[in-house]
Amino acid sequence: QLVESGGGLVQAGVSLRLSCAASGRTPSRYTMAWFRQTPGKEREFVAVINWSGGSTNYADSVKGRFTISRDNARNTVDLQMNSLKPEDTAVYYCAASSWVTDIQDTAARAYDYWGQGTQVTVSS
């Protein structure tokens, strides 16, 4: 089970930190990612981190502004979002994959567990 928290309404330029709490079978061994989705559009990859936390990958649109991290002792995955822009407005989803190990695989179909999503709204 994945539960996201930390979303909200913020102004452009500020920071926000999302957190995902994982529970269940060996979540510390799973590849974890964040995706986002806006109405009428497909779910979009944002960031991914491998099971050890040693490798990460980001969408070009967030590279340099967002940072993904994980704490396997607490079974949490965070997404630090800095310099937020109105185009970052979306529902953000935490995802876990029990079988993907290649962090270059950013397809949503590679992830078999999903959270319920948390809304992030950035006003201009």
Side-chain angles (χ1 to χ4, degrees):
Q1 182 182 8
L2 302 175
V3 179
E4 303 98 336
S5 62
L9 171 62
V10 297
Q11 288 190 327
V14 303
S15 299
L16 201 60
R17 190 175 185 90
L18 304 182
S19 187
C20 172
S23 61
R25 190 171 181 178
T26 61
S28 63
R29 288 291 183 177
Y30 290 0
T31 297
M32 302 293 295
W34 287 93
F35 287 77
R36 64 188 183 187
Q37 190 170 24
T38 54
K41 294 189 176 181
E42 292 188 356
R43 201 160 290 189
E44 173 191 29
F45 165 76
V46 175
V48 61
I49 188 166
N50 74 335
W51 73 271
S52 70
S55 296
T56 58
N57 188 23
Y58 298 91
D60 288 342
S61 59
V62 307
K63 202 170 291 185
R65 298 188 298 122
F66 290 12
T67 302
I68 188 171
S69 61
R70 68 188 297 164
D71 183 338
N72 285 341
R74 297 172 54 233
N75 287 335
T76 58
V77 178
D78 290 348
L79 184 69
Q80 177 66 40
M81 305 185 294
N82 298 331
S83 302
L84 282 163
K85 304 176 181 179
E87 50 263 44
D88 294 319
T89 295
V91 176
Y92 283 72
Y93 295 91
C94 177
S97 177
S98 60
W99 58 276
V100 165
T101 58
D102 181 4
I103 61 170
Q104 301 303 318
D105 188 346
T106 59
R109 66 178 181 274
Y111 292 82
D112 40 1
Y113 299 97
W114 293 85
Q116 82 288 351
T118 185
Q119 177 70 47
V120 173
T121 303
V122 184
S123 63
S124 58

